[in-house]
Amino acid sequence: MTVPPNAERHQAHVTAGPGGVMTEEVGCITGELTVVTTAFPTGQAWVAVQTRGADEWYTLTGTPTPLPMGESLAHYHQRVLDAVRTGGETVAPPAAGTGQ
């Protein structure tokens, strides 16, 4: 996915919980990860993950996903990090307030 110039983004390093995270390109990845959450002008968030220090980036399954009104990208990014730490073949958390 091409990231627009000047897009809002948040990045963090995190250890995936048992079972890792699911990606669109290669399935499950585990271990020390870099997670980047990027906002798009369409109102969607895209989450890319990589094994820390690697060159390849992968799309977290379930993204891009719409950001609901009132939820900042920073808040959504934190929810992604919490889900990654939990593991269990993590996919993108649902939009806040959807009850999913």
Side-chain angles (χ1 to χ4, degrees):
M1 182 166 279
T2 303
V3 176
N6 303 319
E8 179 185 359
R9 59 178 265 170
H10 297 271
Q11 178 175 324
H13 302 292
V14 63
T15 301
V21 301
M22 287 301 290
T23 68
E24 292 296 314
E25 297 85 0
V26 296
C28 188
I29 61 173
T30 60
E32 296 291 322
L33 305 177
T34 302
V35 178
V36 176
T37 305
T38 305
F40 282 78
T42 59
Q44 293 185 310
W46 174 55
V47 180
V49 296
Q50 73 174 174
T51 300
R52 193 167 177 183
D55 292 329
E56 299 83 15
W57 286 94
Y58 306 110
T59 300
L60 182 65
T61 297
T63 66
T65 186
L67 281 175
M69 296 294 260
E71 183 171 25
S72 69
L73 185 68
H75 184 259
Y76 185 74
H77 178 70
Q78 185 58 55
R79 292 196 308 117
V80 168
L81 296 177
D82 292 344
V84 170
R85 286 184 186 104
T86 299
E89 297 184 354
T90 296
V91 297
T98 62
Q100 295 179 14

